[in-house]
Amino acid sequence: MITRSLFPGRRIRVAALVACALVLLTGAATAATITIANMDGAGEGFNDPTPAAPVGGNPGTTKGAQRLYVFQHAANIWGSLLPSNVTVVVSAKFDPLSCTATSGVLGSAGPVTVSRDFAGAPFANTYYHAALANKLAGSDLVPGTADINATFNSDLGSPTCLPVGWYFGVDGNEGGQIELLPVVLHELGHGLGFSTTTNGQTGVQLSGRPSVYDRFIFDNTSALHWSQMSDAQRAASGINCQRLVWDGPVVAARAPLFLGPKPLLHVSSPAGVVADYDVGLASFGPALGSGGLSGQVVLVNDGVGNVTNGCEALINGGAVAGKVAFIDRGTCGFTVKVKDAQNAGAIAAIIADSLPGCPPAGMGGADPTITIPSVRITQADGALLRANIAAGLNVTLIVDPTKLAGADALGHVEVYTPNPYQGGSSVSHWDVSAEPSLLMEPAITNGLSSNVDLTAAMYADIGWFIGSVGVGPTSAPTPQLGISFPNPAASTASIGFSLVRDEVVDLSIYDLNGRLVNRLLSGMTSAGGHTVQWDASDAAGRRVAPGVYLYRLRTPSFNESRHLAVVR
């Protein structure tokens, strides 16, 4: 057995502008105990004595106590899901991390050691993170050493570091703050096995050997796993945008439970560019529908400076009216561009990035007066489509129910490989094209809660449940999500569900693009039957537009969605 010290420091970021259906019964293995080792000094971090009122189910009365409560709460969630006879020790502290007033590193975590060729290792010559290696070996392979190192940003909430600050409640009601719980779950997720020991930028493996993670990431271009590639091939794969996927069987089987239909820009003419193009979605305006919205594309002209960026009232409104507006990114916000196109009579808008990059990101902002859909495409796709506008570019903005958002054509979930490479984020996260957002994406979004979604399925692929019995959706009683009534609903709908045990629950409403509309319930909920009322409003209390929505019940052991129609 070989053990190596390691702390890769996978990071999760956030911009200020801005549980899984795997049910387990353990036999010889028991639910894991995960403990937090407080590495902060007196008066700082977990020991900060600043008085604080209990909030959102967190009973702590000091800032430090509330931080520690959230950490242990996250540890308990993971511990309840993962079977191991060996205690997992997390060495944790709060320190200043890279940060500005608009963006920053929230946390960094990874395994302290990795081991290979120990008794019980499923793959020979393969590195496993310490907690997983200990579980598989049935003993602590490096006694007296922590298994995971975790460092979180102590400056958050200061004027120069994301002044919105941390939210220490565990009920999901973070408002404009940054919820600590999903960030801790995310970082512990890396330490428990959701990361590679290979340098994703250079392709160089630790001691020339793969991690178990490398055996399940597959490049659709080369048709090779990372464990089969040369260093140069891995380096190229690390920036092969949306072509690196996870092909483990458990994740593939459970992906349809967590991923929604894929939003696309379908080009129907001219012949040379007919294809489906990936898009980023807007946080404003109506959702795309499965029926699609079709039209001819017209390049906007606002007559000022860069005339195609749509930052001023359009002077070619006659050409844009009734068409799909093509707009270049730059100078002003997304909502300004789309609203200018809407005012000119456009039925939809396409915004093309001004800088290289992949995949296409979403579009932030809010404007309740925007009534047309809009999408964002990459600079490369934008250049290609712009060159064909004069030839008669016709498109359909659509959500394709036959494809999963964030997965390839075979249903394999995409791994994050943007170009250019992003240190600390690339390769060891799910791709940002996943909708709804997943816990192990590289940035926190408002739609996340204490649900571990596909992460537990990924852990099943790499061996966490080997030696346990009853891995599968029928191996134990599960929660049940009832049918809403009435459906369709003109005003208020009742949503029923039942739990077989006390669990952390998230019951939320989403649109058909997977965007969070309203969170109805989040936090620890008792076993038994429950009914929650939805008054057809969004999180701001505004009545939602008529249409079809999803209501989704998620716990650490369950995920299910149903449709609910809202009518006038």
Side-chain angles (χ1 to χ4, degrees), residues 15-93:
L17 301 177
V18 270
C20 176
L22 179 70
V23 181
L24 304 168
L25 284 175
T26 56
T30 60
T33 298
I34 303 179
T35 63
I36 307 300
N38 177 359
M39 304 305 293
D40 279 318
E44 65 174 7
F46 293 118
N47 303 315
D48 188 330
T50 304
V55 59
N58 187 329
T61 56
T62 67
K63 190 174 182 179
Q66 289 189 352
R67 286 169 166 166
L68 188 58
Y69 182 87
V70 174
F71 265 69
Q72 192 59 60
H73 188 75
N76 292 344
I77 290 173
W78 278 124
S80 69
L81 292 172
L82 299 178
S84 180
N85 293 320
V86 184
T87 297
V88 179
V89 178
V90 181
S91 175
K93 61 181 178 178

Side-chain angles (χ1 to χ4, degrees), residues 518 535-544:
N518 203 342
D535 62 359
S537 67
D538 63 15
R542 301 174 299 234
R543 182 175 173 81
V544 300

Side-chain angles (χ1 to χ4, degrees), residues 150 221 267 330 473 496 512:
T221 301
V267 175
L512 290 181

Side-chain angles (χ1 to χ4, degrees), residues 461-509:
D461 282 329
I462 64 175
W464 261 104
F465 303 108
I466 291 175
S468 302
V469 297
V471 179
T474 62
S475 60
T478 65
Q480 299 291 325
L481 178 61
I483 297 174
S484 63
F485 180 83
N487 191 359
S491 56
T492 300
S494 297
I495 300 172
F497 67 92
S498 63
L499 303 175
V500 297
R501 61 180 179 273
D502 294 357
E503 285 199 270
V504 176
V505 164
D506 182 279
L507 179 64
S508 296
I509 306 294

Side-chain angles (χ1 to χ4, degrees), residues 168-196:
F168 296 129
V170 294
D171 58 354
N173 295 318
E174 71 275 15
Q177 294 181 288
I178 299 168
E179 188 180 10
L180 180 59
L181 178 57
V183 183
V184 178
L185 284 168
H186 176 109
E187 294 302 338
L188 293 184
H190 285 312
L192 291 164
F194 203 112
S195 60
T196 179

